[in-house]
Amino acid sequence: MAVGEDVYCTLVMTDSYLPGAAVLAHSLRDAGTTHKLACLVTTDSLSYTTLTELRTLYNYVIPVERIGNSSPANLYLMNRPDLLYAFTKINLWQLEQFRKVVYVDADVVALRAPDELFALEDNFAAAPDVGWPDIFNTGVMALTPHMGDYNALRGLAEAGDSFDGADQGLLNQYYEHRPWKRLSFTYNCTPSASYQYEPAYRYFKREISMVHFIGSEKPWQQDRGGKKGGTGVYRELLSRWWAVWDRQLHVSTQEYVNTGRREPAAKETVKKGDEPEYSATGYPLDYQPTQDAAIPKATTAAEKHPHQADIDAMTTQQPRQRKFSDPYLNWDATRAAPPSSGKPEAANFPSHIYEFSSDTQQFRPPAAYPEPPRDMWYQVPVEKRGQPLPKIFPWEEREAQAQPTRVWVGEEEKEKELEAFGAADEFTVMADDDKDMVEPQTPVIKIDGAPWAAGGLGGVNNMKNAWDEVSGIDDYVRALTRFQKTRGNVQILSPSHHPDDAITASQPSSDAHHSSSRGFGDQSVFSPTTDSSQMPEAAMPGSEDLIERVRERRESLLLTDFPSAVERPSLPVTPAPRRRPTFWGADHEEGEDLGLPAADGVPGQEEWDPDHQLEELRRHSLIGPSDLKLPQREMPKRGRVASAVEVIPEHPPDLNPPQAVQSSTPSVSFSTPDFQPSNSAAPTGSIGSVFETLSQSRVGSTPALAVEEGPFSPLQMDRGEARSS
Ligand SMILES: O=c1ccn([C@@H]2O[C@H](COP(=O)(O)OP(=O)(O)O[C@H]3O[C@H](CO)[C@@H](O)[C@H](O)[C@H]3O)[C@@H](O)[C@H]2O)c(=O)[nH]1
Ligand SMILES: [Mn+2]
């Protein structure tokens, strides 16, 4: 122990005061004192278990000499022969190893820790005694140990000079002529069963630091309810002592005195005479309310309750032997302190102890992981088609023969999409698997109706070819097919029949400037070469059949109705994807097709004047003037179909024709494999060879084939529709 320490100190001379010493120590610690606790013991009168327990409760257990009263007659005056050795308390003044000692009787419970008492400068301080308030009670004392005082007190003790025969009389006599500090009663509040000044208690009770249970019957020697007839004040303060006890010790006070054990033994048998156990109601577990009080019985037959038989049965048959004991709610906080025998709330919590890994090897992933399962996909259930639909509408019921047919919204589009996807997918698989194939097959494009017209492609449903509204063209085509039927199997529209004046639709007009502004920004590219009827005869099988098809197709009068692969077989060239310069110019990185010079003889689109060309056709073709009515109306100066994609500024073609040509073909790019060559004898991919082949079939001079080096390719012009890629 440190020299000059301040300690709380108590005294235990008999085992019977062990419960008091335990509650005092716990109450001071629970109140948060910063000071150490010491206990004076007379070892010869204490059991081993008590001493052991005191060592766990107190920082210092200090054996002292027992000091008895050789003339104990005065003790009998106050009926306390048990205080025969109360003089032992004067050993406190020997404890010079401590600077200050706050002595507290073992029958005291601290409601707060009066640490401020250590700051007292007085050598001795004590609170008044309720029996005679001019003197002090020796249950709580703040003193400065001093051997001089001890020796003086020891002399008094040996003389037996004490008016009560015990330490309180001795010390009051000693300090009767010495300075001492009178402490507040709140430091040593001594309630009694007969306490009568309850208003004062109510007024000051919040300031009470310590409660001292003077008298021969100590809290641990009576039950929680206190003595019979005790005041409310006493019971209230008594419950404070028991609260500390119940919080810290879970055995009966007697067992604690006997064994020094705080927790009940594993197999505890309740002995007779022990404290009663308390149930959820606060009543002892063996408590049974009197049933007579609960259900009053009728005294005479006349007053008999109509259901008296039932009541009698209930009261008599009620099993009296059963004791209710809730396994969890065995404590009513409004009635009693927590049960002393209750288990901790988390007693049955699962516990798991984890250990650190002792593996010193670094983690190394395995060389290979197992292959993921391959057949993990969702098999879309196949819709069963062709099954008769159930009749759900009234008209279907009425008309017996009518087979119900229904088309759900969006079903048609879905089917079309699926078909188109299937075609593209087919091709992709083929291209991947047969990379060394010399001649790829041309997949069949199934176009049922115009997908763009329904808003299917890019959502542009108002796209038309500028040609479509030139009525003269329709007249021309009709006249042509009519003429063709009368003339037999001849080549259609082949300018090679007239090589000298080989003026075709795509040839630059001599007066092209007058329509130079036309076609800019038009998403549709139009050209006579797009029509399959212009394909050379040699390159096509079955001209008669073809003409018929063309005629049929013509009835739609839309150039954007694409010919099928049979009607117009693809040329053996693969159209290169053409990137158009966007408004931001961001697509120039692959711009190999930008800035290329236009092919000789290829007219710029802005130079294309349909009226003029029709006139040319009329003059040079086999159609007579009477067969064809030329349109009389003016063509608009600008593209008639508003461009939804981009607006290309107008260029005068004579300023920069090649660029103008390029910019006027805004919609020729497409990269789908739709038009792969399939039936040409020429080697695939060589435009030159194609040109050669076609030249041999005497169409080489057609301007439509002069696009070999130009920005147009026949295919691109074929697919003159807008394709937003
Ligand atoms: O058998 C005993 C008796 C007393 N003590 C100790 O001595 C103290 C005093 O005895 P206690 O029973 O508390 O006496 P009180 O009933 O408090 O009686 C009053 O009278 C006593 C004798 O004068 C004083 O010591 C007390 O402080 C005073 O409150 C106890 O607290 C114990 O610390 C024992 O250890 N064992
Ligand atoms: Mn006492």
Side-chain angles (χ1 to χ4, degrees):
M1 73 186 67
V3 177
E5 222 173 350
D6 293 340
V7 291
Y8 287 103
C9 188
T10 191
L11 167 69
V12 175
M13 295 185 289
T14 56
D15 293 335
S16 59
Y17 276 74
L18 177 64
V23 165
L24 172 66
H26 282 302
S27 68
L28 283 170
R29 290 223 172 87
D30 291 353
T33 182
T34 58
H35 296 277
K36 289 185 174 173
L37 308 182
C39 181
L40 304 184
V41 291
T42 51
T43 52
D44 59 338
S45 60
L46 292 174
S47 70
Y48 171 78
T49 56
T50 297
L51 283 171
T52 309
E53 180 63 6
L54 285 173
R55 285 198 180 90
T56 69
L57 291 166
Y58 286 83
N59 301 100
Y60 309 118
V61 177
I62 303 165
V64 291
E65 180 195 354
R66 183 202 309 270
I67 303 172
N69 188 352
S70 52
S71 50
N74 289 340
L75 289 173
Y76 291 96
L77 287 175
M78 58 176 183
N79 199 26
R80 290 295 300 271
D82 56 301
L83 293 175
L84 183 63
Y85 294 97
F87 286 164
T88 311
K89 209 184 272 186
I90 64 174
N91 281 301
L92 290 167
W93 276 261
Q94 280 201 89
L95 304 176
E96 282 188 319
Q97 65 268 45
F98 301 116
R99 187 194 69 92
K100 200 83 169 177
V101 172
V102 173
Y103 172 82
V104 188
D105 260 6
D107 53 351
V108 170
V109 61
L111 307 189
R112 58 172 289 275
D115 286 358
E116 65 274 12
L117 293 179
F118 292 102
L120 288 175
E121 290 182 357
D122 310 82
N123 288 329
F124 185 79
D129 183 82
V130 285
W132 196 265
D134 284 342
I135 64 167
F136 54 84
N137 183 280
T138 54
V140 175
M141 300 181 289
L143 60 105
T144 306
H146 191 267
M147 282 304 290
D149 290 323
Y150 169 74
N151 291 325
L153 290 168
R154 184 70 193 257
L156 285 175
E158 284 176 358
D161 200 355
S162 166
F163 63 80
D164 64 357
D167 62 281
Q168 185 158 298
L170 180 85
L171 288 167
N172 269 289
Q173 282 178 248
Y174 182 71
Y175 281 102
E176 193 175 1
H177 308 289
R178 288 179 177 79
W180 63 278
K181 183 172 173 64
R182 185 189 178 95
L183 294 177
S184 163
F185 184 65
T186 56
Y187 286 108
N188 187 358
C189 178
T190 51
S192 68
S194 56
Y195 188 78
Q196 289 180 342
Y197 199 15
E198 190 164 332
Y201 167 74
R202 299 290 165 208
Y203 187 76
F204 290 108
K205 75 174 189 178
R206 277 179 301 173
E207 297 169 30
I208 295 174
S209 296
M210 294 192 285
V211 180
H212 183 187
F213 297 93
I214 58 172
S216 54
E217 245 189 308
K218 301 305 179 190
W220 57 93
Q221 290 163 341
Q222 49 191 304
D223 63 33
R224 287 163 174 78
K227 291 180 189 171
K228 273 187 182 172
T231 64
V233 174
Y234 184 79
R235 280 204 300 270
E236 193 171 310
L237 293 174
L238 185 69
S239 73
R240 305 295 297 267
W241 189 95
W242 278 108
V244 178
W245 174 270
D246 287 334
R247 197 160 59 230
Q248 304 289 348
L249 296 105
H250 307 111
V251 291
S252 68
T253 53
Q254 188 58 52
E255 186 188 354
Y256 186 58
V257 171
N258 292 341
T259 64
R261 204 167 54 207
R262 293 153 166 259
E263 302 292 335
K267 283 185 179 177
E268 187 189 24
T269 51
V270 180
K271 295 173 215 155
K272 203 172 184 182
D274 272 7
E275 282 184 345
E277 297 289 329
Y278 284 83
S279 68
T281 60
Y283 293 107
L285 283 173
D286 54 355
Y287 172 81
Q288 288 287 334
T290 54
Q291 288 158 3
D292 294 339
I295 306 168
K297 278 185 179 176
T299 49
T300 64
E303 297 169 65
K304 213 169 188 179
H305 195 276
H307 299 291
Q308 189 61 50
D310 298 338
I311 294 171
D312 288 344
M314 279 166 60
T315 52
T316 51
Q317 290 170 10
Q318 194 163 355
R320 294 183 64 95
Q321 69 276 12
R322 185 177 175 272
K323 289 181 184 175
F324 173 74
S325 170
D326 193 296
Y328 299 106
L329 292 172
N330 57 358
W331 166 51
D332 182 1
T334 64
R335 286 173 175 269
S340 59
S341 58
K343 282 182 180 174
E345 283 181 36
N348 58 346
F349 271 19
S351 69
H352 191 94
I353 298 170
Y354 295 91
E355 288 183 355
F356 278 112
S357 170
S358 56
D359 189 4
T360 54
Q361 293 295 314
Q362 256 189 331
F363 171 74
R364 287 183 196 283
Y369 287 98
E371 280 286 307
R374 287 175 177 276
D375 52 349
M376 284 182 69
W377 63 74
Y378 173 68
Q379 187 70 46
V380 181
V382 182
E383 273 185 55
K384 288 181 181 172
R385 300 194 180 204
Q387 285 190 343
L389 291 166
K391 295 181 179 181
I392 55 174
F393 296 108
W395 55 86
E396 293 170 345
E397 299 280 355
R398 280 197 298 271
E399 296 163 37
Q401 302 96 328
Q403 188 63 33
T405 54
R406 269 158 237 137
V407 177
W408 304 108
V409 175
E411 213 170 53
E412 268 185 318
E413 285 78 2
K414 214 164 70 182
E415 279 182 22
K416 275 180 198 165
E417 274 173 35
L418 277 172
E419 278 177 21
F421 175 77
D425 199 33
E426 221 171 72
F427 180 79
T428 312
V429 170
M430 183 193 75
D432 282 346
D433 292 348
D434 309 306
K435 285 194 176 95
D436 50 352
M437 263 187 70
V438 179
E439 193 175 339
Q441 293 294 314
T442 302
V444 178
I445 312 155
K446 295 172 186 169
I447 300 172
D448 303 328
W452 53 88
L457 285 177
V460 186
N461 56 7
N462 60 343
M463 285 191 296
K464 292 178 185 171
N465 199 308
W467 281 93
D468 297 342
E469 295 182 17
V470 180
S471 59
I473 288 178
D474 301 331
D475 296 339
Y476 166 72
V477 174
R478 285 198 189 95
L480 175 68
T481 52
R482 211 163 42 235
F483 172 79
Q484 197 68 47
K485 283 203 165 175
T486 58
R487 287 284 299 270
N489 188 10
V490 293
Q491 191 175 3
I492 313 156
L493 254 187
S494 176
S496 56
H497 288 294
H498 310 275
D500 296 333
D501 45 2
I503 301 171
T504 65
S506 57
Q507 196 169 13
S509 170
S510 55
D511 52 350
H513 61 274
H514 86 270
S515 62
S516 61
S517 65
R518 194 179 174 280
F520 282 100
D522 199 335
Q523 284 194 305
S524 304
V525 178
F526 54 90
S527 161
T529 59
T530 61
D531 196 351
S532 63
S533 62
Q534 292 173 29
M535 290 307 293
E537 195 183 359
M540 290 188 200
S543 294
E544 191 68 55
D545 181 49
L546 174 63
I547 287 164
E548 184 60 32
R549 283 164 182 270
V550 168
R551 195 191 61 77
E552 284 168 13
R553 277 175 41 72
R554 261 300 143 204
E555 292 314 307
S556 83
L557 304 180
L558 287 175
L559 285 180
T560 44
D561 271 355
F562 298 128
S564 70
V566 178
E567 289 167 347
R568 192 203 51 73
S570 301
L571 292 175
V573 289
T574 302
R578 288 174 62 95
R579 283 173 174 270
R580 287 172 290 149
T582 65
F583 176 78
W584 296 275
D587 282 346
H588 282 245
E589 65 259 48
E590 294 186 27
E592 66 277 346
D593 59 339
L594 296 176
L596 292 176
D600 289 340
V602 176
Q605 194 172 4
E606 74 283 359
E607 294 170 325
W608 179 252
D609 176 9
D611 295 343
H612 175 76
Q613 295 300 333
L614 279 170
E615 177 60 28
E616 289 294 315
L617 281 168
R618 191 181 60 79
R619 279 198 286 123
H620 296 284
S621 73
L622 302 173
I623 308 167
S626 60
D627 292 320
L628 185 63
K629 276 184 186 172
L630 285 178
Q632 298 302 312
R633 59 194 172 92
E634 274 280 307
M635 292 298 287
K637 291 291 181 189
R638 296 281 303 190
R640 329 165 81 167
V641 182
S643 168
V645 176
E646 62 187 41
V647 175
I648 299 170
E650 183 177 330
H651 293 274
D654 45 344
L655 287 181
N656 201 354
Q659 278 80 355
V661 166
Q662 281 183 7
S663 13
S664 65
T665 59
S667 59
V668 294
S669 31
F670 59 94
S671 54
T672 59
D674 297 354
F675 284 85
Q676 288 290 333
S678 66
N679 62 343
S680 172
T684 306
S686 163
I687 294 179
S689 312
V690 176
F691 184 54
E692 227 172 87
T693 311
L694 295 173
S695 296
Q696 286 160 9
S697 58
R698 299 186 297 135
V699 291
S701 60
T702 57
L705 293 168
V707 297
E708 183 197 6
E709 297 170 63
F712 291 112
S713 85
L715 280 175
Q716 286 160 350
M717 298 180 78
D718 273 352
R719 292 297 296 264
E721 85 285 7
R723 278 298 279 273
S724 4
S725 47

